[in-house]
Amino acid sequence: MEKALVLFAHGARAATWAAPFQRLRDLTAARRPDCAVSLAFLELMTPTLPDEVRALVALGARDITIVPIFLGQGGHLLRDLPLLLDQLRASHPQATFRTVPAVGEDPGVLAAMAAYCAGVAEIPS
């Protein structure tokens, strides 16, 4: 596939930490059959973003969107991701890369999280 979405998460030492991100990848893939949807990590887990992009490009991906699955634009997204993108562009000039803001900064995502939080809290009447 020419189009790819890479869900980009931080990573953790506990393997079980990745389970919700894997489910998110699978749910996203079900909604986007026109794209290769994958998951990559900044650190502590594999595949790393460079490894995943290398695999996608080898399969023919040329239009790659990186979706940071972070709650906000912290240091990793402000410093680390731009450096990674520079390296990816240099390593894969045949592909175009774009990134979007952190998922937690999207108003719809925040609304869904607020609805969840409000729904689990018992509010006295």
Side-chain angles (χ1 to χ4, degrees):
M1 277 184 211
E2 286 234 354
K3 287 184 163 224
L5 284 173
V6 181
L7 308 185
F8 180 57
H10 186 276
R13 286 181 182 82
T16 56
W17 178 89
F21 299 93
Q22 293 162 342
R23 288 192 303 271
L24 178 61
R25 177 202 55 212
D26 295 345
L27 290 166
T28 303
R31 290 177 177 233
R32 291 300 307 262
D34 61 319
C35 283
V37 178
S38 62
L39 176 61
F41 301 97
L42 176 66
E43 57 189 13
L44 304 173
M45 297 184 122
T46 57
T48 64
L49 185 59
D51 289 344
E52 187 58 25
V53 166
R54 187 178 311 109
L56 289 166
V57 169
L59 292 172
R62 297 296 178 262
D63 179 7
I64 301 171
T65 300
I66 298 164
V67 182
I69 308 300
F70 288 69
L71 286 179
Q73 294 282 107
H76 287 313
L77 298 186
L78 294 172
R79 289 186 302 272
D80 300 332
L81 184 54
L83 292 173
L84 284 168
L85 282 168
D86 288 344
Q87 294 168 2
L88 293 172
R89 288 181 177 115
S91 298
H92 306 286
Q94 71 276 40
T96 59
F97 296 91
R98 77 179 185 106
T99 188
V100 296
V103 71
E105 295 185 355
D106 179 81
V109 172
L110 287 174
M113 291 171 68
Y116 172 81
C117 293
V120 298
E122 286 197 17
I123 302 171
S125 50

